[in-house]
Amino acid sequence: MSEANSPVIRAHALDLTFQTADGPVHALKDVNLEIAKGEFVSFIGPSGCGKTTFLRCVAGLEQPTGGTISVNGMTPDEARQARAYGYVFQAAGLYPWRTIGRNISLPLEIMGYSKADQKDRVSRVLDLVELSGFERKYPWQLSGGMQQRASIARALAFDADILLMDEPFGALDEIVRDHLNEQLLALWARTEKTIGFVTHSIPEAVYLSTKIVVMSPRPGRITDVIDSPLPKERPLDIRDSPEFIEIAHRVRDGLRAGHADD
Amino acid sequence: MAHVRTAGPVLVVVAAIFAIWYVAVIPMNIKDAITQAERAGATVSPEGAQARRDMSAIGLAVRNTAVIPATYALDRPRLPAPHQIAAELWDTTIDKKITSKRSLVFHGWVTLSATLLGFAIGTAAGILLAVGIVHSRAMDMSVMPWAIASQTIPILAIAPMVIVVLNSIGVQGLIPKAIISAYLSFFPVVVGMVKGLRTPDAMQMDLLRTYNANRNQTFWRLRLPASLPFLFASLKIAVAAALVGTIVAELPAGGGRGLGGRMLTGSYYGQMIQIWSALVMAALLAAGLVFLISLIERISLRRLGLAS
C-alpha cells in the first residue's frame, strides 16, 4: 500500500552506458532521484546530459546498465505493460491517415476499451486540451501547437497517473509555447498527475515545475535539485517576480557549474 | 484551366510523333512499293531490282515521287502507316466477332486474364514476402538476395523453361502464363512494400511501445497504413510488368493465342500490321490497367485522409 507521499518514481545509483563505435558513452552516471505523487518535475540541461535518456529509462524504453529504478513500485517494464504512464514526444507524431479523434483513440483501441468508452474519453480529453470541435479534422488541418495539444490528449486518454513529456514544446515558437505552458499548468491542476518534463528552456522549467532537476553532460548526471517555492497558482507574469528570477539564477548557476567541470 | 493549358503541348508532341512516323514510312517501304509498281507495268527509275539494290531509300523516293503514295498502302509494309494500323484495329476489334480467332478482343482477353491472375498472385506473394522480410531478420537476409537475383535472369530465358516443365506435368493454358507474369510483378511489390512498411520511424515505434502494443497491432495500425502510398506506386509498375510477362510467356506457349501469339504469328508471315496492332492493343491494355490502379489509389488515399 503506497502512502500519499511515498515516491512514484525512485531511481537509485542509476547508470546507463551506451556501447558505440567510438567507445562507451556514459549517458547516465549515479543518478539518484525521488519523485512524489502529484509533483511537476522538470529536467533541464544541455544536449547529452541524459535528461531524455532518464525519461526513457522511466518509460522502460531504455534499459539501465546499473542501479535500480522503480515506477509505482514496479520495474519500468512492468509499469509500461501496466500502462502506468502517457508519453509525449517532441514531435506530435499524429497519424496523417487518422482524424484527430481517431488519433486520440489509438491507445484506447490498443488497450481494448469499448467503443462507447473510447468516444467518451476522446471528447473528454479533447475538452481538456481545448480542442473540442476538431475531432473530425485531419492533423494537417491543424497548426503545430494544436497538433502537440492533440498528442497530449492522446497521452491523457487512458488516464495514466504519470505523464512523461520529452521537450513537447521544443519545436514551437515562444508565444505558442507560453500559451501551452499556461494550459499545461491548468491541466496539471485539474488532473493531479505526476509529470516528468524535459526541456532546454530555463523560464519554462521554472514556470512549470515544483521540482527542477539540473543535469550536466559527460557523464550525464544530476548537479542540482531545486524545490520551487512558487505557489501552485501561477499567472504568466509570475515570471517577473523576484522569487522566479532567483530560482532562474540558481538553475543557470547549476548549468554553469556542470560546464565548469569540462 | 490546368487541362486547357496542358492540352496544347500534349497535342504538339502527339502531332510531332505522327509526322515523324508518316515521313519514315516512305523510305522504309519505297523499295517494296517500286517493285510492286514495276510488276504492275509502271515506269520506275532505275529499272530492275538488281539496279536498285544498293541505292539509298531516300534517293529512290526522290527519283520515284509518283510511287510515294503507294508506300502508305502496301499489303505487307515494313513499317505500316498509323492509319493502316488503325484500320486493322477497327477490323479486328469492331468488325470481327469476339469469338473469332482473328479478333483482337479475343486475344486481348486471353492476355488480360492471364495478366490479372499473374498480377494478383504476384501482388499477394510480394506483400507476404515483404511482411516476412520486415518482421524477420532471417527472412530479410535469406529472401531478399534471391528476389533480386530472380530479376537479373532474362525473362525470355525463364519463360520457355517454365512452359515446358509445366506442360510436361499437364499444366497448360492460363496458369503457366500467369506464373511467368507473377514472376515479373512480385518484385516491385516486395521492394515498395518493404520500404513502405519500414517508413515508421523510431519515435512512432516507441510510441506504440509505451502503449504496450503487440506486433499485430503495430502492423495493422501503423505499418500497413504507412506503407499504402508505396504499395500503390509499386502496383503501377507491377501491373505493367505483369502484362509484359504474359506477352513474353505467350511466345513459347504456342497456339498463336493472346497478344504475344499474334505478334509471333505476325512475324512468321511478315505481317507487320498485325504485330503493330497487337502492340497498340497491349499498350492500350497497360495504360488502362495503370489508370485503373491510379483511380483506386486516389480513392483509397482520399478515404484515408492521405490526399486532399
Side-chain angles (χ1 to χ4, degrees):
Chain A
M1 291 297 101
S2 62
E3 296 156 46
N5 48 6
S6 87
V8 171
I9 297 165
R10 174 185 271 152
H12 178 69
L14 201 66
D15 273 311
L16 200 158
T17 308
F18 290 115
Q19 298 299 336
T20 71
D22 300 332
V25 172
H26 297 281
L28 292 174
K29 191 170 165 60
D30 193 28
V31 170
N32 295 285
L33 188 70
E34 291 194 349
I35 298 175
K37 185 170 170 47
E39 274 196 289
F40 196 128
V41 182
S42 284
F43 298 85
I44 188 164
S47 301
C49 72
K51 54 194 192 299
T52 292
T53 307
F54 180 75
L55 208 67
R56 290 174 62 83
C57 284
V58 174
L61 296 174
E62 303 286 356
Q63 297 304 321
T65 44
T68 59
I69 180 165
S70 72
V71 179
N72 281 348
M74 299 176 272
T75 69
D77 237 16
E78 286 165 351
R80 179 172 66 79
Q81 280 155 30
R83 284 126 180 185
Y85 63 85
Y87 202 108
V88 179
F89 292 85
Q90 180 164 15
L94 301 168
Y95 291 180
W97 56 86
R98 283 179 174 237
T99 60
I100 297 303
R102 297 244 306 127
N103 263 293
I104 293 170
S105 64
L106 173 73
L108 303 174
E109 286 171 25
I110 289 170
M111 297 172 192
Y113 286 83
S114 75
K115 281 268 179 248
D117 204 3
Q118 287 182 25
K119 203 167 166 287
D120 285 352
R121 283 164 180 269
V122 167
S123 65
R124 201 191 61 211
V125 292
L126 273 174
D127 192 42
L128 217 50
V129 298
E130 294 175 27
L131 276 179
S132 300
F134 289 91
E135 189 173 345
R136 288 171 196 286
K137 293 271 189 281
Y138 281 97
W140 57 268
Q141 295 171 297
L142 271 61
S143 68
M146 288 162 101
Q147 290 188 20
Q148 196 53 277
R149 262 147 67 197
S151 92
I152 293 170
R154 184 178 57 189
L156 292 171
F158 48 98
D159 271 338
D161 291 334
I162 305 169
L163 190 57
L164 303 175
M165 308 177 87
D166 183 5
E167 291 188 49
F169 308 140
L172 305 173
D173 67 62
E174 192 93 16
I175 297 160
V176 175
R177 202 169 171 152
D178 279 353
H179 182 58
L180 289 181
N181 282 340
E182 226 179 344
Q183 279 191 316
L184 183 59
L185 273 188
L187 192 142
W188 173 62
R190 277 171 72 182
T191 57
E192 297 181 325
K193 291 194 188 300
T194 309
I195 298 182
F197 189 95
V198 167
T199 181
H200 267 124
S201 154
I202 296 173
E204 188 172 66
V206 179
Y207 176 66
L208 291 172
S209 321
T210 57
K211 183 182 267 183
I212 302 159
V213 178
V214 183
M215 299 181 75
S216 77
R218 286 177 299 274
R221 65 198 183 279
I222 294 174
T223 50
D224 196 4
V225 177
I226 305 163
D227 284 305
S228 172
L230 295 178
K232 246 191 145 178
E233 282 287 318
R234 296 177 188 181
L236 271 174
D237 54 24
I238 203 172
R239 295 181 298 183
D240 299 324
S241 71
E243 294 92 340
F244 188 97
I245 292 163
E246 199 192 312
I247 305 165
H249 263 293
R250 195 172 150 193
V251 173
R252 192 166 289 117
D253 285 346
L255 291 173
R256 215 171 276 150
H259 269 292
D261 290 359
D262 286 345
Chain B
M1 277 308 283
H3 283 69
V4 178
R5 247 176 286 146
T6 50
V10 170
L11 284 176
V12 168
V13 170
V14 171
I17 290 171
F18 275 92
I20 292 166
W21 192 338
Y22 270 106
V23 171
V25 168
I26 302 171
M28 287 300 287
N29 295 340
I30 192 76
K31 278 191 185 174
D32 292 339
I34 292 174
T35 308
Q36 282 190 16
E38 192 173 31
R39 273 192 210 132
T43 38
V44 295
S45 134
E47 286 180 10
Q50 199 66 29
R52 291 192 297 271
R53 206 179 60 189
D54 295 328
M55 288 188 63
S56 85
I58 293 168
L60 282 171
V62 170
R63 296 170 83 169
N64 298 281
T65 46
V67 184
I68 285 175
T71 59
Y72 293 107
L74 294 175
D75 274 346
R76 290 183 183 182
R78 287 186 192 178
L79 176 64
H83 67 263
Q84 289 178 291
I85 297 166
E88 167 82 0
L89 273 171
W90 181 272
D91 179 46
T92 51
T93 53
I94 311 294
D95 288 348
K96 288 276 181 305
K97 274 201 294 189
I98 58 163
T99 49
S100 159
K101 282 283 160 63
R102 286 208 55 211
S103 165
L104 259 192
V105 178
F106 166 79
H107 291 289
W109 169 247
V110 168
T111 299
L112 180 65
S113 54
T115 300
L116 290 178
L117 182 61
F119 176 61
I121 297 171
T123 302
I127 291 175
L128 285 178
L129 281 176
V131 171
I133 285 169
V134 167
H135 283 96
S136 146
R137 198 166 156 67
M139 261 192 93
D140 188 11
M141 306 283 277
S142 58
V143 174
M144 210 52 184
W146 288 105
I148 293 167
S150 75
Q151 302 303 302
T152 62
I153 303 164
I155 189 67
L156 271 170
I158 288 271
M161 296 195 290
V162 174
I163 301 281
V164 168
V165 167
L166 287 177
N167 193 37
S168 71
I169 57 169
V171 181
Q172 288 174 325
L174 190 68
I175 303 291
K177 292 196 288 178
I179 287 171
I180 290 158
S181 162
Y183 182 90
L184 276 193
S185 62
F186 88 96
F187 185 68
V189 178
V190 171
V191 174
M193 210 48 194
V194 166
K195 172 92 182 147
L197 291 171
R198 282 189 176 149
T199 43
D201 56 16
M203 196 211 84
Q204 293 283 6
M205 300 305 286
D206 278 345
L207 179 68
L208 288 180
R209 270 189 77 198
T210 69
Y211 303 151
N212 199 28
N214 60 34
R215 273 187 168 200
N216 233 338
Q217 291 167 327
T218 306
F219 177 79
W220 290 105
R221 288 186 170 75
L222 175 59
R223 286 193 190 274
L224 190 69
S227 73
L228 283 187
F230 293 83
L231 175 64
F232 279 114
S234 299
L235 287 184
K236 284 184 224 168
I237 303 169
V239 80
L243 186 70
V244 171
T246 305
I247 290 173
V248 169
E250 280 166 348
L251 302 177
R257 288 163 61 97
L259 296 177
R262 288 296 280 176
M263 290 175 201
L264 193 68
T265 48
S267 75
Y268 283 160
Y269 301 109
Q271 289 285 4
M272 295 307 285
I273 298 182
Q274 183 181 321
I275 296 177
W276 276 90
S277 57
L279 275 177
V280 171
M281 192 70 183
L284 289 176
L285 270 184
L289 290 169
V290 171
F291 174 77
L292 207 65
I293 289 174
S294 300
L295 201 69
I296 298 169
E297 175 184 29
R298 224 175 313 155
I299 292 168
S300 38
L301 292 190
R302 192 175 301 165
R303 275 235 180 118
L304 280 171
L306 289 173
S308 49

